[in-house]
Amino acid sequence: YDDETGTRSSIVQQSDVALHTMAAGATAGADVQMLIGNFDSHANHFELQTEAFAEIVYGLRFLWKRAEEIDARTGSNISDRLTVVIHSEFGRTPHFNSDAGTDHWPTTSAIIMNKSFETNGIGSRTVGYSSNDGRYQPGRINPVTLERDEDGGVELTSAHLHKALRKYLGIADAPVLADVGFPGVEDVNMFTPGLATSQT
């Protein structure tokens, strides 16, 4: 159970199974999905999103705490090797509809977590940006320096993120992924220590 909520949310349940499966050596990764529920806030956006974000925060706290508990019990060292990707396939409109809700919007974001980010210069950074003019449109960045570059830069997509993740995790050249590549997708230095996109 999640000690903070006293409940067994979908994230808590799936994380618990995933971590124990990893500790047993049966898998190297897992897809933990939050049930659509409150994130699909076509009405009552503030109320539903508040509950949804709370569930994600509680779920993440549970995941990291449980990983350390399993490490202490089994010596599996999962918490030091774990990389967590929090990502949605789309975002929400920057304006409300007639039901005080928000609808689907192509601009979204992701959070990547790893314990080593605290010390290796990769953590506490932002890569990419969106416009701050009420339109919430993705901006373009230089794929090498990660600085804003509206004229010659690239507009980040999920493909850029996952291509960079494969490289960071050392699995870009894995034979099993040979036919599952990213043709035409630029390399972006997302995991280069110290590089970031200015948010001002």
Side-chain angles (χ1 to χ4, degrees), residues 48-64:
L48 295 178
Q49 291 279 330
T50 298
E51 293 175 2
F53 275 103
E55 183 177 347
I56 280 205
V57 170
Y58 292 140
L60 286 168
R61 288 168 64 96
F62 171 88
L63 183 148
W64 287 105

Side-chain angles (χ1 to χ4, degrees), residues 166 171-181:
R166 287 185 184 181
I171 60 172
D173 298 321
V176 70
L177 297 175
D179 296 324
V180 192

Side-chain angles (χ1 to χ4, degrees), residues 98-122:
S98 59
D99 294 316
T102 56
D103 300 312
H104 298 176
W105 192 252
T107 306
T108 188
S109 59
I111 299 173
I112 316 298
M113 304 173 79
N114 185 294
K115 283 179 73 172
S116 69
F117 290 176
E118 298 177 25
T119 56
N120 65 9
I122 293 178

Side-chain angles (χ1 to χ4, degrees), residues 7-199:
T7 61
R8 212 123 157 98
S9 71
S10 62
I11 297 178
V12 167
Q13 291 176 343
Q14 294 173 76
S15 298
D16 206 11
V17 171
L19 291 169
H20 279 93
T21 306
M22 291 175 187
T27 186
D31 182 10
V32 174
Q33 298 182 9
M34 183 171 176
L35 303 180
I36 280 193
N38 296 336
F39 270 118
D40 204 23
S41 53
H42 292 284
N44 303 319
H45 175 84
F46 280 131
E47 178 182 345
L48 295 178
Q49 291 279 330
T50 298
E51 293 175 2
F53 275 103
E55 183 177 347
I56 280 205
V57 170
Y58 292 140
L60 286 168
R61 288 168 64 96
F62 171 88
L63 183 148
W64 287 105
K65 180 180 177 182
R66 182 55 59 106
E68 291 178 346
E69 289 172 354
I70 293 172
D71 285 347
R73 191 172 66 246
T74 67
S76 56
N77 199 30
I78 291 174
S79 63
D80 288 332
R81 297 182 291 120
L82 190 62
T83 297
V84 177
V85 180
I86 308 149
H87 192 7
S88 175
E89 68 270 35
F90 53 81
R92 311 302 300 183
T93 51
H95 54 269
F96 289 101
N97 59 30
S98 59
D99 294 316
T102 56
D103 300 312
H104 298 176
W105 192 252
T107 306
T108 188
S109 59
I111 299 173
I112 316 298
M113 304 173 79
N114 185 294
K115 283 179 73 172
S116 69
F117 290 176
E118 298 177 25
T119 56
N120 65 9
I122 293 178
S124 301
R125 301 174 310 125
T126 301
V127 176
Y129 69 101
S130 58
S131 62
N132 194 25
D133 56 5
R135 296 180 305 120
Y136 192 40
Q137 296 294 317
R140 294 179 175 274
I141 64 170
N142 181 297
V144 177
T145 66
L146 306 185
E147 290 294 340
R148 297 180 184 223
D149 184 355
E150 284 299 330
D151 296 325
V154 300
E155 181 181 306
L156 292 181
T157 66
S158 296
H160 290 104
L161 169 61
H162 287 280
K163 185 176 184 182
L165 263 173
R166 287 185 184 181
K167 182 177 179 181
Y168 172 74
L169 295 172
I171 60 172
D173 298 321
V176 70
L177 297 175
D179 296 324
V180 192
F182 301 95
V185 175
E186 302 90 346
D187 288 314
V188 178
N189 290 334
M190 291 188 189
F191 296 98
T192 301
L195 295 185
T197 307
S198 170
Q199 299 301 303

